[in-house]
Amino acid sequence: RKGAKMWVDIGAFRVEANGTQRRVVGLLRLPTNASKLIEGRERASASLELAKVCEALRRGRKEGKAVTCYIDSVRPSSAQLTLTPFKPRPTVDDTWRAISTLRVGDEIKEGMIARVGDVTAVVFAKVYNDPTRKPCAAVVRKRSLPPGVDLSTTVVKSAGTTRVLKAGDALGKAWVRKVEPKSARFELSLVPVD
């Protein structure tokens, strides 16, 4: 496998058969380019994420600061963990819905705002693409927001704004406004749709 290797001290120990403690280390390997980074993400998004992760790791190594990593696999015999710097995608289970089963007007109760742009918010809402079983992202468009709700990226908000949508927040109740199963995309509204 290609990519730069880094050994990370995760601050954990394993007790050997003779009672001594052995430090557990993590092997962190970076991908060599953005095209191999994350399946199903746009190249620009993958390149940006790769650049952010590499910068954080360089800064952490240079300044001795902690970096965030996620466990990819465990090797008990050698007391090693394989780590990844990228947050794992959610695992599709029985609580998820196939995008082909969505209909305009269906209620979506669970959704997390992943990122907010100038005119849209991207939401992960436990919906997967049928053939690949990969999670699908939904969008909430600014023009379809009800009065009193705005995006965090809006510089000048109206006087009656009571709720601001920002990355990391739970979306709350939403309704399917438009669904495109062939392109694995769908659009949500914060008000009921007929």
Side-chain angles (χ1 to χ4, degrees):
R1 295 175 65 184
K2 295 182 179 179
K5 280 192 216 177
M6 210 183 252
W7 294 99
V8 179
D9 179 2
I10 63 167
F13 293 89
R14 181 181 84 166
V15 178
E16 296 287 327
N18 62 5
T20 60
Q21 289 185 341
R22 182 175 177 188
R23 184 175 297 277
V24 176
V25 294
L27 167 62
L28 178 64
R29 190 185 296 267
L30 288 177
T32 54
N33 62 39
S35 63
K36 296 178 183 174
L37 176 62
I38 301 165
E39 291 179 19
R41 294 197 187 174
E42 306 86 33
R43 188 174 182 84
S45 170
S47 296
L48 181 63
E49 187 167 354
L50 179 62
K52 284 180 183 177
V53 166
C54 289
E55 178 57 31
L57 291 173
R58 275 194 291 274
R59 203 174 330 112
R61 185 175 181 190
K62 184 178 178 182
E63 300 170 10
K65 292 186 178 179
V67 294
T68 302
C69 297
Y70 303 91
I71 297 173
D72 195 34
S73 65
V74 180
R75 298 177 186 168
S77 60
S78 60
Q80 290 180 356
L81 300 173
T82 305
L83 305 173
T84 176
F86 306 106
K87 196 170 191 174
R89 286 183 163 222
T91 306
V92 174
D93 59 26
D94 294 339
T95 64
W96 288 57
R97 292 177 65 178
I99 194 167
S100 63
T101 65
L102 290 182
R103 301 290 175 255
V104 173
D106 284 359
E107 186 178 336
I108 302 288
K109 294 180 181 175
E110 293 182 40
M112 182 67 67
I113 301 170
R115 62 182 180 268
V116 179
D118 293 337
V119 293
T120 60
V122 177
V123 177
F124 288 110
K126 289 198 168 189
V127 175
Y128 66 88
N129 189 9
D130 299 70
T132 61
R133 291 191 62 86
K134 289 184 180 176
C136 297
V139 295
V140 176
R141 298 194 186 283
K142 184 175 181 172
R143 67 174 182 253
S144 67
L145 292 176
V149 180
D150 211 339
L151 301 176
S152 62
T153 54
T154 305
V155 179
V156 179
K157 295 174 180 52
S158 63
T161 301
T162 56
R163 183 177 178 203
V164 177
L165 303 180
K166 60 183 183 297
D169 286 355
L171 184 65
K173 282 187 182 180
W175 290 265
V176 177
R177 186 168 188 262
K178 184 179 178 184
V179 61
E180 300 172 16
K182 287 184 180 177
S183 59
R185 292 186 295 209
F186 63 107
E187 192 174 320
L188 296 173
S189 171
L190 299 186
V191 292
V193 177
D194 294 331

